[in-house]
Amino acid sequence: MNETTSSTHQPTTTRPGDQTQTAAELAQQWATDPRWAGIRRDYTAEDVIALRGSVREEHTLARRGAERLWDLLHNREWVPALGALTGNQAVQQVKAGLEAIYLSGWQVAADANLSGQTYPDQSLYPANSVPAVVRRINNALLRADQIETSEGERTRDWLAPIVADAEAGFGGPLNAYELMASMIEAGAAGVHWEDQLAAEKKCGHLGGKVLVPTSQHVRTLSAARLAADVAGVPTVVIARTDALGADLLTSDVDPRDEPFLTGERTAEGYFRVRPGLDPVVSRAMAYAEYADLIWVETSTPDLDLAREFAERIHDRHPGKLLAYNCSPSFNWRAALDDSTIARFQKELAASGYAFQFITLAGFHALNHSMFSLARGYAERGMSAYVELQEAEFASEADGYTATRHQREVGTGYFDRVATALNPASATLALAGSTESAQFAHAH
């Protein structure tokens, strides 16, 4: 083999994707970029560079989303988000004015996982299911942007950042590393991780939750950050603790967990621990060095608890961003009066809860709206459907466009593709369609 064809030949010029950053440059970036202020890494820049390989893919959607989310968290009073179950739900959320999207593992388990099953929120579905829905949502948002751009009018930034649920990581640190890499490849902007045992993971509002030691969850958070650093993307890492309600712990290895041990063991060998705000704060203090936001899962919408938690965290970590689950598992009217509900999010924001989301909004909106339509249709036939259609027409004044469902999913966009290939095409889809005839200028 001659020298020019040798496998050891090195090109004299760099190509797109060539990894050229040095460990010294990366370490300097961590030390000087305000984005990394207060963030601790227990690995080195040399570790990251060694793991990158010689070619590093550019993850445009993940980078764009992470930078946009970070900007929103610092420049909005708070960032509200609803759980989306499908690409179309995400499109409607952005069209209605929301600037971020939440993707719940609960919803993926229930009706959007790759096994095709209906599951409770117990990490029973394939681990790549959430990244697949992240990609599906991004594809839907990209299509909405393409449709508007092809029509000559771009009304908004369609690529709203997606905050996705990694549950308890589906295993150990290596599983968390790989899951984070998959989230980034799919275009997630932020990812949250909870401190439960993956093998026993439960919805935060179920019983039987088993915590892992504080140090073990720190390793999970570190694995997620390492994956983002290797990818070269500033993914927003959110740490969640379930210690407010969980009373089981896998091991007493971490001295930070020792004050909350009761001395009891279960039949499974788990340690009984005392749940409450003190263990929550203890864990959150440890996680705050490794995560960008902290989330404590609560059982009721409790402003006093939220304020006390924020004050105790901010006493040691001033300005640390917090997240709050405005959960559908709460009976809101039973817990709060209307005036408190109305000001609830504003008061949370005053305590530093920058990201506030309704996890299962998509599930409840989808199910209730379809139940209402089906019940009406069963009783009154077409009159019930026409009421829905009239409601859609009325919402057009607020920017709703799905009344024209063919256009909504890109029929006109692909007519544009066909026209580019054959300007004289006689097979365009929208031309002569019932939508063009009956809906183009309706209402």
Side-chain angles (χ1 to χ4, degrees), residues 165-171 192-202 204 208-221 238-251 254 257 260 273 276 278-288 294-297 309:
D165 184 353
E167 306 223 356
F170 290 84
H192 71 78
W193 309 80
E194 61 203 58
D195 58 2
Q196 293 188 50
L197 174 64
E200 294 285 356
K201 179 260 174 347
K202 306 291 194 304
K209 294 184 290 184
V210 182
L211 300 173
V212 297
T214 298
S215 55
Q216 184 172 335
H217 194 55
V218 165
R219 284 193 294 276
T220 296
L221 299 172
I238 302 172
R240 168 177 139 180
T241 179
D242 284 79
L244 191 65
D247 64 353
L248 299 173
L249 177 68
T250 60
S251 169
D254 195 321
D257 300 324
F260 314 109
V273 290
D278 287 343
V280 161
V281 171
S282 173
R283 286 172 171 259
M285 290 294 191
Y287 304 159
I294 305 296
W295 161 13
V296 52
E297 186 73 311
F309 172 75

Side-chain angles (χ1 to χ4, degrees), residues 175-363:
N175 302 80
Y177 179 93
E178 282 295 282
L179 181 54
M180 185 63 143
S182 296
M183 294 285 200
I184 291 168
E185 289 171 5
V191 184
H192 71 78
W193 309 80
E194 61 203 58
D195 58 2
Q196 293 188 50
L197 174 64
E200 294 285 356
K201 179 260 174 347
K202 306 291 194 304
C203 169
H205 301 105
L206 292 175
K209 294 184 290 184
V210 182
L211 300 173
V212 297
T214 298
S215 55
Q216 184 172 335
H217 194 55
V218 165
R219 284 193 294 276
T220 296
L221 299 172
S222 291
R225 182 76 72 193
L226 177 60
D229 285 339
V230 169
V233 176
T235 311
V236 176
V237 176
I238 302 172
R240 168 177 139 180
T241 179
D242 284 79
L244 191 65
D247 64 353
L248 299 173
L249 177 68
T250 60
S251 169
D252 62 354
V253 68
D254 195 321
R256 289 170 291 193
D257 300 324
E258 188 174 346
F260 314 109
L261 295 169
T262 67
E264 300 172 79
R265 299 288 293 272
T266 70
E268 300 90 345
Y270 299 133
F271 292 80
R272 291 266 181 206
V273 290
R274 174 170 53 85
L277 189 56
D278 287 343
V280 161
V281 171
S282 173
R283 286 172 171 259
M285 290 294 191
Y287 304 159
E289 294 186 282
Y290 297 88
D292 299 303
L293 288 87
I294 305 296
W295 161 13
V296 52
E297 186 73 311
T298 64
S299 58
T300 59
D302 188 334
L303 282 172
D304 290 335
L305 184 144
R307 289 191 199 99
E308 183 179 352
F309 172 75
E311 289 168 1
R312 292 175 67 176
I313 294 301
H314 290 152
D315 184 56
R316 187 183 300 179
H317 299 281
K320 194 68 185 181
L321 298 176
L322 306 174
Y324 197 93
N325 176 9
C326 298
S327 176
S329 293
F330 305 156
N331 186 334
W332 285 81
R333 277 275 173 77
L336 304 171
D337 58 42
D338 287 348
S339 63
T340 305
I341 292 171
R343 69 173 191 272
F344 191 85
Q345 290 184 283
K346 191 175 186 67
E347 294 202 16
L348 284 177
S351 293
Y353 291 88
F355 185 60
Q356 302 179 33
F357 49 102
I358 302 177
T359 47
L360 316 183
F363 175 88

